[in-house]
Amino acid sequence: MAHAASLASDAPLPAAAAPKPRLSLIRIVEMNLGFLGLQFSFGLQQGNMVPIYSWLGADEASLPILQLAGPMTGLLVQPLVGALSDRTASRWGRRTPYFLIGAVLCSLGLFLMPHSASLLMAASLLWLLDAGNNITMEPYRAYVSDRLNADQHEIGFLSQSAFTGLAQCLAFLSPSILVYWFGVDRNAVDAHNIPTITHISFLIGAVLSISTIVWSVLRVPELPIPAADLERIAAAPRSLGATLAEIWGAIRDMPQAMRQMAWMSLFQWYGFSIYWSYGALSIGRSVYDTTDKTSAAFRDAVLTTQQLGAFYNLIGFFAAFAMVPVARRLGAGRVHMVCLALCGLGLLYLPQIGPSMGEAPAWMVAMAMPELGRHLALMIPALGLGLGWASIMGNPYVILAGSVPPERTGVYMGIFNMMIVIPMLINGLTFGWIYRHLLGADSRNAIACAGGLLIAAAVTMLWVRVPERAA
């Protein structure tokens, strides 16, 4: 019971707000449908940017710095958009304008990305794509807190986590579906070695990005802004300096639980950044015994890695809903700690998997995952990654929503995203040197390093004091 005491909180809770209309499960699903398009975009990035860079001739040690667009745009955009959205009182709502602007930019980036003719063009488009994603992401987190009462926060945020799992599963799986269901040639490539299946997948993502956001906005519009909030917004200064001052003041007054999650975020996101950069390269070495980026074996390794991503996100989809009663009973902090530890163990095991081949189960062939099915040992890291990813996308936000003042939800969601993007930024600036000089330029060692960092993140949760309302 000593551990339970470490997760208890004597911190005061925010003052109770007026009750909001309770939403049915179907309405909560509809309000989060836009997360499907948003996370489909993120899934395409995670599953395809490293291969695209590799096909365009990138050096392995340069991969982290080529991925800096995500953390840099998140660091610059999300806190600013969070503070601005808290002060927005447009005819379309507080968060909706940011949803729509971000979705348009995201769709443009997805449409153009597979037409990249050089590393510079691909990296530049990634900046556009990530700017759109980040403009949409933070207001979408705040939208759940705005729209739902505290007793529906768990289902609200964990349903976002479920859509994250489903969307990224489909994004990772889309190239394999095109190959195994529609007969598209996996080896058909353009003049820059980018496969046709990548072109089609990104086009699908561009359509989903805008259409799902519009559906959510139309089906579950924002609540009218309370009169007291309108008065506060009208009285607030609107200059950039005032916005930056508000962000700094919010950082200074950051709730205790949020401060305590900073170390968890550092280890967690630095570790996942390593996996996204080197997962396909590690599987190429350990399972397919290849380092040749132009070979058919490497394209098979990319498909296998995408299928692994699809499978762990499918696990995450179901796990997110299963976590709702578990997190309510045991506490979001405890559940997150266990899931991070299992994720770390799965990553430690991943580089040990060799090229054993067998017959893929029929259900995996039907789901366009035969490569993954022929390497059944990959199911072990997939389970850990799925549980970890479902928890990462839900439980920290349950803790956060119960810790911050409701009227400052937007700015605090943006600041919390800084705890995501700063570790990614540090990874981009430091891991290339670590990879080359400490890990022998071996992608398998990089994945083992990521596993150790996820376990370290789990240990830090012992010191996070979670408000009772969030548990």
Side-chain angles (χ1 to χ4, degrees):
M1 301 302 291
H3 174 59
S6 72
L7 292 171
S9 174
D10 53 9
L13 295 174
K20 302 160 189 171
R22 289 185 64 82
L23 294 184
S24 64
L25 178 60
I26 187 64
R27 286 291 174 264
I28 292 173
V29 168
E30 284 188 302
M31 75 179 286
N32 285 314
L33 185 65
F35 231 65
L36 180 77
L38 179 64
Q39 293 297 334
F40 193 94
S41 169
F42 276 117
L44 287 175
Q45 287 178 239
Q46 291 167 19
N48 292 277
M49 284 314 302
V50 167
I52 286 173
Y53 285 146
S54 298
W55 289 319
L56 293 172
D59 175 69
E60 288 186 11
S62 70
L63 290 173
I65 202 163
L66 286 170
Q67 307 260 46
L68 281 180
M72 283 298 295
T73 54
L75 182 64
L76 297 172
V77 170
Q78 285 214 23
L80 188 60
V81 168
L84 289 173
S85 70
D86 281 343
R87 301 182 190 188
T88 297
S90 75
R91 59 182 292 188
W92 299 285
R94 180 180 289 182
R95 318 293 179 185
T96 299
Y98 302 95
F99 296 167
L100 297 176
I101 292 169
V104 169
L105 292 177
C106 181
S107 292
L108 285 173
L110 288 170
F111 178 76
L112 294 172
M113 180 62 75
H115 299 281
S116 297
S118 66
L119 281 173
L120 178 61
M121 182 176 176
S124 299
L125 286 171
L126 185 59
W127 281 81
L128 174 67
L129 176 56
D130 271 317
N133 282 335
N134 280 294
I135 289 170
T136 305
M137 174 68 78
E138 182 284 325
Y140 222 122
R141 295 290 193 188
Y143 172 47
V144 171
S145 190
D146 291 345
R147 196 67 171 79
L148 301 176
N149 291 307
D151 64 343
Q152 289 193 305
H153 280 170
E154 288 93 346
I155 186 62
F157 286 113
L158 287 171
S159 65
Q160 283 192 350
S161 177
F163 269 124
T164 298
L166 177 62
Q168 295 196 11
C169 174
L170 294 173
F172 279 115
L173 202 55
S174 56
S176 295
I177 290 174
L178 291 169
V179 170
Y180 293 105
W181 290 9
F182 295 98
V184 182
D185 182 3
R186 72 172 75 192
N187 292 312
V189 299
D190 64 14
H192 305 288
N193 293 315
I194 298 175
T196 301
I197 54 177
T198 304
H199 281 264
I200 299 173
S201 297
F202 273 74
L203 179 61
I204 293 169
V207 173
L208 282 177
S209 181
I210 188 70
S211 61
T212 57
I213 290 284
V214 170
W215 181 275
S216 289
V217 166
L218 293 178
R219 294 292 293 168
V220 189
E222 295 185 68
L223 294 172
I225 302 174
D229 284 355
L230 287 174
E231 292 177 8
R232 177 180 56 79
I233 292 169
R238 297 183 178 275
S239 67
L240 177 61
T243 301
L244 295 175
E246 180 183 354
I247 294 170
W248 174 249
I251 292 173
R252 185 189 60 233
D253 301 331
M254 190 182 300
Q256 182 185 39
M258 191 171 171
R259 288 184 187 275
Q260 291 168 337
M261 285 195 289
W263 282 106
M264 176 272 293
S265 290
L266 174 63
F267 294 131
Q268 168 183 288
W269 291 107
Y270 195 108
F272 256 96
S273 295
I274 295 171
Y275 171 73
W276 291 328
S277 292
Y278 293 98
L281 301 175
S282 176
I283 287 175
R285 276 179 174 257
S286 63
V287 176
Y288 290 92
D289 193 27
T290 185
T291 57
D292 180 1
K293 311 304 189 304
T294 63
S295 67
F298 181 71
R299 286 191 288 273
D300 287 342
V302 170
L303 277 180
T304 300
T305 307
Q306 291 169 340
Q307 291 168 17
L308 174 62
F311 194 65
Y312 84 65
N313 277 284
L314 185 64
I315 292 170
F317 172 74
F318 291 108
F321 286 114
M323 281 180 195
V324 175
V326 177
R328 191 171 292 147
R329 179 177 178 82
L330 300 180
R334 292 191 194 95
V335 173
H336 192 51
M337 180 179 65
V338 172
C339 290
L340 287 176
L342 293 173
C343 184
L345 291 172
L347 286 173
L348 286 174
Y349 179 67
L350 180 58
Q352 312 304 318
I353 298 171
S356 58
M357 300 290 286
E359 187 69 27
W363 67 273
M364 296 203 79
V365 175
M367 291 185 67
M369 293 192 281
E371 278 86 5
L372 183 61
R374 287 194 289 268
H375 302 281
L376 292 175
L378 289 169
M379 303 302 170
I380 297 173
L383 178 62
L385 283 163
L387 292 173
W389 190 240
S391 185
I392 286 168
M393 289 292 100
N395 283 314
Y397 296 96
V398 174
I399 297 170
L400 184 63
S403 305
V404 304
E407 70 276 6
R408 304 184 83 182
T409 297
V411 69
Y412 274 119
M413 289 290 179
I415 291 169
F416 190 66
N417 186 69
M418 293 170 66
M419 296 183 185
I420 298 173
V421 299
I422 288 175
M424 292 180 176
L425 181 60
I426 295 171
N427 174 274
L429 295 174
T430 63
F431 196 73
W433 186 91
I434 294 170
Y435 182 73
R436 184 180 288 113
H437 296 285
L438 300 182
L439 300 176
D442 189 327
S443 51
R444 295 166 295 187
N445 294 336
I447 298 302
C449 177
L453 288 168
L454 267 293
I455 291 173
V459 172
T460 66
M461 288 302 297
L462 290 168
W463 290 277
V464 176
R465 297 168 64 87
V466 181
E468 291 292 339
R469 192 179 75 184

